[in-house]
């Protein structure tokens, strides 16, 4: 207990200075609880409000993917360049160092493999385990227009309810089936449904026409999915277009870990996302780092 002898009268209340009530820098997050905003700030860099999320959760339905055969060798060296990591709890526990201090978005739905109907997912993680592992958000696939659309939406709303009780955000991930079109009309529908039903973040694909309307119509941050492997200049251009048209960052996997120089690529993506570096300049940055890495490797 503090010693009460010799206490002075308190007088430094500064009544002439109003108490500050700062907002929060992410769209739609200003009324969330402190713990949820704190977790979001681990994902989205406060200085820019955007994120470079590294997606490595592909194995939950694809098995060992090219570039993810050995996560300890291929992915762990990239972690220092990522604002956030999207992965399964199995990989988080078995492979990711507990010293990783940035955001972790944990894949929380699953079930079918590529051999079955993918939309038939269920919740695959208990909220207690998410809290136990100190994750920054839970990710759930939402199949708008899919065979099990309602079931996948229920998965998301259940996670939203659980997350609100514990201060853990939910990221709705819009899935595009083989019979669905990645256009602004569909993406606007899917992202708005996720946000309306409580997701604090939405991940979706980029579309060349009308993406501004998708981001503007969604009241929470949209993170662009990287999708299939593209040539580096195309991936950097897509990332640039997405963030300049309202996305709060990117969640890239194959365009990073399947690149010829993953470390160079993730740094180039970071330049685009956080500094709005033009794609051609970012490609030069990538090629310079790639040459440096190759030269360093040759000396070993």
């Amino acid at each position: 207990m503090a010693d009460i002898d010799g206490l002075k009268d308190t007088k430094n209340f500064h009544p002439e200075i109003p108490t500050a009530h700062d907002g929060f820098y992410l769209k739609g997050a200003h009324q969330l609880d402190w713990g949820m905003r704190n977790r979001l700030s681990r994902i989205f860099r406060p200085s820019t409000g955007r994120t470079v999320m590294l997606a490595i959760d592909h194995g939950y339905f694809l098995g060992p993917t090219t570039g993810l055969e050995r996560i300890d060798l291929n992915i762990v060296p990239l972690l220092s360049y990522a604002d956030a990591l999207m992965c399964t709890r199995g990989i988080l526990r078995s492979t990711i160092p507990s010293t990783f201090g940035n955001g972790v978005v944990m894949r929380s739905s699953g079930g079918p493999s590529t051999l079955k109907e993918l939309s038939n997912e269920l919740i695959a993680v208990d909220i207690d385990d998410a809290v136990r592992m100190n994750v920054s958000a839970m990710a759930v696939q939402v199949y708008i227009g899919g065979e099990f659309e309602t079931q996948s939406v229920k998965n998301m709303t259940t996670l939203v309810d659980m997350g609100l009780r514990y201060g853990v955000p939910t990221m709705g991930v819009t899935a595009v089936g083989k019979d669905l079109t990645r256009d602004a009309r569909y993406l606007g529908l899917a992202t708005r449904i996720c946000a309306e039903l409580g997701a604090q973040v939405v991940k979706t694909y980029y579309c060349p026409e009308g993406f501004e309307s998708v981001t503007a119509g969604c009241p929470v941050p949209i993170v662009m999915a990287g999708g299939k492997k593209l040539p580096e200049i195309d991936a950097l251009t897509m990332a640039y277009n997405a963030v300049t048209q309202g996305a709060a960052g990117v969640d890239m996997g194959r365009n990073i870990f399947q690149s010829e120089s993953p470390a160079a690529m993730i740094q180039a993506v970071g330049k685009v996302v956080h500094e709005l570096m033009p794609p051609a300049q970012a490609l030069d940055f990538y090629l310079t780092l790639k040459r440096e890495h190759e030269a360093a490797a040759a000396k070993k």
Side-chain angles (χ1 to χ4, degrees), residues 57-65 112-114 254:
D57 60 323
H58 305 65
Y60 94 98
F61 73 104
L62 284 175
T65 306
S113 71
T114 53
R254 287 170 287 180

Side-chain angles (χ1 to χ4, degrees), residues 110-112 116-122 143 147-148 151-152 155:
K116 297 289 185 179
E117 168 55 46
L118 289 178
S119 67
N120 191 19
E121 286 195 353
L122 296 173
Y143 292 87
E147 182 179 348
F148 293 90
Q151 177 177 300
S152 70
N155 292 340

Side-chain angles (χ1 to χ4, degrees), residues 195-210:
E196 292 267 359
L197 294 178
Q200 287 81 27
V201 182
V202 179
K203 172 182 170 181
T204 197
Y205 292 99
Y206 177 75
C207 59
E209 296 183 9

Side-chain angles (χ1 to χ4, degrees), residues 122-161:
L122 296 173
I123 293 174
V125 172
D126 188 87
I127 184 66
D128 290 341
D129 207 28
V131 173
R132 188 179 299 115
M133 300 182 78
N134 197 31
V135 304
S136 304
M138 300 175 292
V140 55
Q141 210 77 10
V142 181
Y143 292 87
I144 300 301
E147 182 179 348
F148 293 90
E149 174 187 86
T150 300
Q151 177 177 300
S152 70
V153 170
K154 183 65 168 67
N155 292 340
M156 187 194 74
T157 57
T158 299
L159 282 177
V160 167
D161 289 338

Side-chain angles (χ1 to χ4, degrees), residues 25 40-51 81 83 274:
Y25 61 94
L40 288 170
S41 70
R42 300 181 212 162
I43 301 171
F44 297 91
R45 193 178 296 185
S47 60
T48 64
R50 294 188 287 271
T51 186
Y81 307 117
D83 297 303
H274 293 300

